[in-house]
Amino acid sequence: MALPTPWGFLLSIADPFVRLWLLMAGAVLVGGLVWLLRWRADRSPLRSLPADLGPFPAVLYFGDATCASCIPAKNAIDHGDLEVRSFEWASEGDVFDLLEIAEVPRLIVAGRRGQILADISGVPSPRQIARAKLQLSRE
């Protein structure tokens, strides 16, 4: 059945041009959706840690001896009485590569199943440390 349009011509699903137009529109829609999902997956950070970094829950600190802001970060963590497992770039670079950590200092709070609850880059504030302790207490 043909549908009238405001432009004065009829659209019919039997028309090869209409079929081609619908097919192309569907392909563009599917292609756009696939691109959007891949773009989001590329931009989203790692949401869980590998099991071999356990046991969980845990707080992981990533730093380096040559990093200028790592000393104040470590002091803030120590002052906040937060128990952490430390990883140094010089001796454990493979863990940095595995987790795609490109900047230090970095503090990652992981829950019971290794899911990332907090990811703090730079020197953590007392508020961020308190929030990390609260998140750990809930696990």
Side-chain angles (χ1 to χ4, degrees):
M1 172 162 179
L3 300 174
T5 64
W7 301 287
F9 59 91
L10 301 176
L11 293 177
S12 170
I13 197 71
D15 186 8
F17 292 113
V18 172
R19 287 183 184 179
L20 180 64
W21 184 85
L22 288 174
L23 181 64
M24 288 178 18
V28 167
L29 182 66
V30 168
L33 184 61
V34 167
W35 176 84
L36 180 64
L37 291 174
R38 285 187 180 174
W39 176 77
R40 254 189 105 198
D42 289 343
R43 292 183 48 99
S44 65
L46 185 66
R47 298 312 321 159
S48 64
L49 297 175
D52 56 341
L53 289 179
F56 298 116
V59 179
L60 309 175
Y61 168 74
F62 298 90
D64 189 31
T66 61
C67 165
S69 59
C70 289
I71 294 169
K74 191 70 168 156
N75 290 338
I77 292 166
D78 292 341
H79 183 67
D81 293 328
L82 192 59
E83 186 179 329
V84 299
R85 275 187 271 154
S86 296
F87 295 91
E88 295 291 324
W89 169 251
S91 59
E92 294 149 326
D94 55 334
V95 176
F96 283 72
D97 293 338
L98 176 69
L99 299 178
E100 299 178 359
I101 294 179
E103 60 185 40
V104 290
R106 190 154 169 192
L107 192 68
I108 297 178
V109 180
R112 232 178 295 134
R113 296 178 310 275
Q115 75 277 21
I116 295 177
L117 303 175
D119 190 350
I120 304 165
S121 294
V123 179
S125 68
R127 183 178 178 173
Q128 288 173 318
I129 291 174
R131 185 176 295 141
K133 288 170 72 173
L134 178 65
Q135 288 174 326
L136 282 176
S137 70
R138 292 179 179 168
E139 287 291 313

